[in-house]
Amino acid sequence: MIGSARRARFVALLGAGAVGLALAGCGSSGSAADTSNNQAAATGDVPSWCGDKKAVLGMTDGFGGNSWRLVTTASAKAEAAKCPSITGFEYADGQGDTQKAIADIQGMVAKGVNALVVFPDAGEAVLPAIRSAYKAGVVTVPYRVTPGGTAGQDYDVFVDTDFADAGRNWGEWIKKILPEGGNILFLSGPPGNSQGRQEAEGMRAVLDPIGKYKFIGEQPFEVTNWDPAQTQKVLTAAISQNAKIDVIVSDFGPSLVGALPVFEQSGRSIPAIAASDGNVLSCFWQDHKAKNPDFKLFTVSTQNDHSRLAIQQAVARATGGQEPASATFPSVVFEDSTSKDKPVQCKPDLPDDVYLSAEMPGEEQAKLLK
């Protein structure tokens, strides 16, 4: 069973911005990247998106302070290391401060990076800085959260994902397990974030026409800022305010774990969960499914590897490699406790805060978290 001490450690690490920044290799451009690149060159296993022109790569996060960002950044760095033409990798964490995120982008340009991958958490607020980098001749690739603007005018390419597809996947599963309808509670990140809005639209496109499903709580989603402590407050309040919750949907599934025992404490079964994956959530399901008859679990990949496609697009343009055919990272189903085809994957010997859907093995992720 996942005890309170392990849950506390998980919440602490998710919120530890300084830890994430340090372990992700902030500002690194030296031997680690060079060693990996030399190994790639030695084996001759150079990907098509890696050209011959030498380049220094930069990456900025609007907020890098949780384990998902830590693994995502490490995945980006590992992808860049596959290209021997990348001679340095610089990283900066905006720490949730929009002005710092803007300054980080400007700082990368001042350092002379040749290509820059940006996670623009603040959306359009950082577009002028992104545009400035692009106009300065830096290959500029925002990804995951749209900054607005237009490719070819404000940046080279936006590497997106179809968040609505995740919502549709959740919706279809909800229809399968609750054919007669039910109450749905949806939790997402900051107010108005494009990911949550699109996921909600995808779910509603599947469920609203039926007329059997009711979305409860704040609309289009309950705001959690993707913060485990805030998620626990929001979910605890929702449990006390709603006698009937049939499904909880979350685009950061692991953050639910701290509050789910409230159902058991109040004599209620934990309801079905549709979310993004995480080892802590999967192992929690494994430990609690027997005593909670309504507790089914369905996850989509948490998409740590979205950063890899952004890196490929940036490196290809900076080094003269072959640009990937797609600039959209897919949303895929990872686990379904009601199907033998995609069983729930729990590795209790690994830390709670690893994501088994990622290309980086859980054992390697665990080393980052020490």
Side-chain angles (χ1 to χ4, degrees):
M1 178 173 288
I2 298 176
S4 58
R6 289 187 70 193
R7 286 198 298 270
R9 175 188 174 277
F10 175 68
V11 170
L13 185 53
L14 278 172
V19 173
L21 179 62
L23 292 179
C26 174
S28 64
S29 60
S31 59
D34 293 341
T35 299
S36 296
N37 291 346
N38 290 338
Q39 290 173 347
T43 61
D45 189 19
V46 178
S48 61
W49 46 265
C50 174
D52 296 329
K53 185 178 178 181
K54 301 297 183 183
V56 174
L57 179 63
M59 184 176 186
T60 65
D61 263 335
F63 172 75
N66 60 41
S67 62
W68 185 87
R69 294 297 179 102
L70 175 59
V71 174
T72 299
T73 300
S75 298
K77 193 170 185 179
E79 195 69 10
K82 295 176 182 177
C83 179
S85 298
I86 296 301
T87 60
F89 184 96
E90 300 283 343
Y91 174 79
D93 175 9
Q95 300 176 354
D97 183 331
T98 299
Q99 292 306 310
K100 184 178 186 306
I102 291 170
D104 287 340
I105 294 170
Q106 296 169 336
M108 289 290 181
V109 177
K111 286 181 178 180
V113 300
N114 305 106
L116 179 62
V117 171
V118 181
F119 196 133
D121 290 77
E124 295 186 8
V126 297
L127 181 60
I130 290 173
R131 183 189 302 119
S132 179
Y134 175 72
K135 296 296 184 183
V138 177
V139 172
T140 308
V141 179
Y143 82 107
R144 198 158 182 87
V145 175
T146 177
T150 304
Q153 297 181 19
D154 302 294
Y155 42 80
D156 287 85
V157 61
F158 172 52
V159 180
D160 64 358
T161 187
D162 189 355
F163 289 118
D165 199 30
R168 288 187 288 269
N169 284 328
W170 291 329
E172 292 293 348
W173 183 72
I174 290 169
K175 279 202 308 182
K176 183 178 78 170
I177 65 165
L178 294 170
E180 300 305 316
N183 292 345
I184 302 167
L185 178 70
F186 178 36
L187 288 72
S188 184
N193 79 84
S194 60
Q195 176 177 347
R197 291 200 314 270
Q198 293 171 29
E199 290 164 342
E201 290 169 2
M203 271 194 293
R204 287 184 178 277
V206 172
L207 299 174
D208 273 356
I210 301 173
K212 297 180 179 179
Y213 301 90
K214 179 181 179 181
F215 287 84
I216 59 178
E218 186 177 347
Q219 300 301 314
F221 52 77
E222 288 281 0
V223 172
T224 69
N225 296 320
W226 293 312
D227 175 72
Q230 180 66 16
T231 298
Q232 185 164 350
K233 291 179 182 178
V234 169
L235 185 52
T236 300
I239 292 169
S240 66
Q241 294 165 8
N242 295 276
K244 187 172 183 286
I245 301 175
D246 297 296
V247 185
I248 299 172
V249 181
S250 171
D251 51 15
F252 192 17
S255 65
L256 298 174
V257 169
L260 291 177
V262 174
F263 283 101
E264 296 174 314
Q265 293 163 8
S266 59
R268 298 160 62 181
S269 173
I270 298 172
I273 303 291
S276 62
D277 82 283
N279 195 42
V280 67
L281 179 59
S282 299
C283 290
F284 182 89
W285 176 83
Q286 191 72 44
D287 292 341
H288 292 257
K289 62 178 180 176
K291 295 183 178 180
N292 292 272
D294 301 326
F295 191 13
K296 301 176 179 67
L297 180 64
F298 178 92
T299 67
V300 296
S301 165
T302 196
Q303 294 189 316
N304 298 95
D305 297 319
H306 194 167
S307 63
R308 292 181 185 269
L309 180 57
I311 291 294
Q312 292 173 13
Q313 290 283 357
V315 171
R317 288 167 169 78
T319 65
Q322 180 178 330
E323 296 174 13
S326 176
T328 298
F329 192 78
S331 176
V332 297
V333 175
F334 182 59
E335 298 165 306
D336 181 354
S337 68
T338 69
S339 170
K340 294 180 180 179
D341 295 333
K342 295 186 180 296
V344 175
Q345 298 185 34
C346 163
K347 292 194 174 181
D349 56 323
L350 292 179
D352 295 340
D353 36 356
V354 300
Y355 305 90
L356 299 176
S357 65
E359 178 180 324
M360 180 178 290
E363 291 76 11
E364 291 187 24
Q365 295 180 42
K367 294 176 183 177
L368 296 171
L369 305 172
K370 290 182 178 179

